[in-house]
Amino acid sequence: MPALRTNEVLTMIDEGVQPNETTVPMLPCVAPEETLAFWRALGFAVTYEQTKPYLYLAFRWRGFELHYGRASSNLDPSENTGGCLVMVDTVAPYHAAFTEAMRRTYGKVLAKGLPRITRYRPGASRFTVTDPSGNSIIFIQRDEPTELEYGGSKQLQGLARVLDNARILREFKNDDRAAFRALNSGLRRHGDGAPAVQQAVALAVLIELSTALEESERVPEWGTRLRQLSLTMEERRQVESAVADPTLLERWMPATA
């Protein structure tokens, strides 16, 4: 009987594998008690809890699970230690559920330090929850674009391209500092010749970023410039949707044209 060729063997193996896999992330944990408290606060069920002789924690929320084991002794939680992607149909309800749970338990949304959650701008396709050990659990909308153009889309010009680059830096790299620098520089170079709504979006995002970075000394300057622009009602809504917290803009928003 002739020997089976490699591709025939692979086909036989593939036909015997049923497509019903489940992948569960296994994350390093340096703070068991803090990890238990955090995920419980967000509404996760603890499905397994063991700290001795070996550390093993398991959590479930809706349709996915997170498991933890002991981290190496030299792991630094302030670094991005690990993480996983959670693919969902729509990210906004998840962010709303977690931030509301944080407000109930902690009295505020945890935006800095460990643990924390990133800001969510209406229409964004992802956000990140960082646990007490520095792991990033990134919730991503399934139809999110697969390609990113750092520096901004080549189909755009001037301030529009700068805004697109800042959006990518904020939402995909979680790099507020880089987004701030790009916008600050781009507004100086292209602001005077840009449409009023683009200037307004740039100023609004700079106000939000400088507040998040705790460097708000220039907010009055940017706010005054924002107030002096003439915007339609639709443009005003566009500006407000460019930031995660429109209340930061309330005292600076211009009257509609």
Side-chain angles (χ1 to χ4, degrees), residues 82-103:
C84 68
L85 309 180
V86 183
M87 312 303 293
V88 299
D89 290 337
T90 307
V91 296
Y94 291 83
H95 192 274
F98 295 150
T99 52
E100 176 58 28
M102 286 180 179
R103 289 189 183 97

Side-chain angles (χ1 to χ4, degrees), residues 196 227-236 253-257:
R227 189 187 292 125
Q228 292 170 348
L229 295 171
S230 178
L231 302 175
T232 65
M233 182 63 73
E234 177 57 34
E235 288 172 338
R236 181 184 174 114
M253 287 295 286
T256 55

Side-chain angles (χ1 to χ4, degrees), residues 2-239:
L4 292 173
R5 293 191 295 270
T6 301
N7 61 339
E8 293 176 333
V9 173
L10 292 175
T11 299
M12 292 175 62
I13 294 174
D14 184 62
E15 289 176 347
V17 176
Q18 299 301 314
N20 60 355
E21 301 89 350
T22 298
T23 300
V24 178
M26 181 69 177
L27 305 173
C29 179
V30 299
E33 295 304 320
E34 290 87 342
T35 300
L36 285 163
F38 176 65
W39 290 119
R40 279 178 171 138
L42 266 59
F44 283 66
V46 179
T47 57
Y48 195 85
E49 179 181 349
Q50 175 181 296
T51 56
K52 293 181 179 180
Y54 304 104
L55 174 66
Y56 201 93
L57 306 175
F59 303 88
R60 180 184 295 126
W61 193 84
R62 305 294 174 137
F64 73 98
E65 298 186 39
L66 299 173
H67 289 201
Y68 288 85
R70 189 170 301 281
S72 61
S73 58
N74 61 350
L75 186 143
D76 182 358
S78 65
E79 301 293 333
N80 189 359
T81 57
C84 68
L85 309 180
V86 183
M87 312 303 293
V88 299
D89 290 337
T90 307
V91 296
Y94 291 83
H95 192 274
F98 295 150
T99 52
E100 176 58 28
M102 286 180 179
R103 289 189 183 97
R104 287 197 306 268
T105 303
Y106 302 103
K108 63 179 180 179
V109 175
L110 304 178
K112 297 180 181 299
L114 295 175
R116 64 180 182 271
I117 188 171
T118 57
R119 298 184 306 278
Y120 178 75
R121 177 189 60 81
S125 58
R126 62 170 57 193
F127 70 90
T128 301
V129 177
T130 305
D131 69 16
S133 296
N135 298 293
S136 295
I137 293 81
I138 307 173
F139 290 78
I140 302 178
Q141 201 156 297
R142 287 191 174 91
D143 62 356
E144 179 183 86
T146 56
E147 296 183 1
L148 299 175
E149 293 190 64
Y150 291 102
S153 172
K154 294 179 177 60
Q155 297 178 353
L156 301 173
Q157 299 295 325
L159 190 56
R161 186 170 178 178
V162 173
L163 288 167
D164 190 54
N165 182 42
R167 175 186 62 83
I168 291 171
L169 292 170
R170 282 191 298 159
E171 296 177 9
F172 292 85
K173 296 300 291 182
N174 293 328
D175 195 337
D176 284 351
R177 176 67 61 185
F180 176 87
R181 289 170 177 163
L183 270 179
N184 192 25
S185 174
L187 188 62
R188 286 199 307 269
R189 296 197 313 272
H190 307 292
D192 290 343
V197 66
Q198 291 182 13
Q199 295 181 51
V201 169
L203 291 164
V205 176
L206 280 170
I207 289 170
E208 181 176 60
L209 289 174
S210 61
T211 302
L213 293 167
E214 298 181 345
E215 298 177 5
S216 56
E217 61 273 4
R218 292 190 63 187
V219 166
E221 171 196 341
W222 290 321
T224 299
R225 290 175 61 181
L226 175 58
R227 189 187 292 125
Q228 292 170 348
L229 295 171
S230 178
L231 302 175
T232 65
M233 182 63 73
E234 177 57 34
E235 288 172 338
R236 181 184 174 114
R237 283 194 288 266
Q238 185 177 338
V239 173

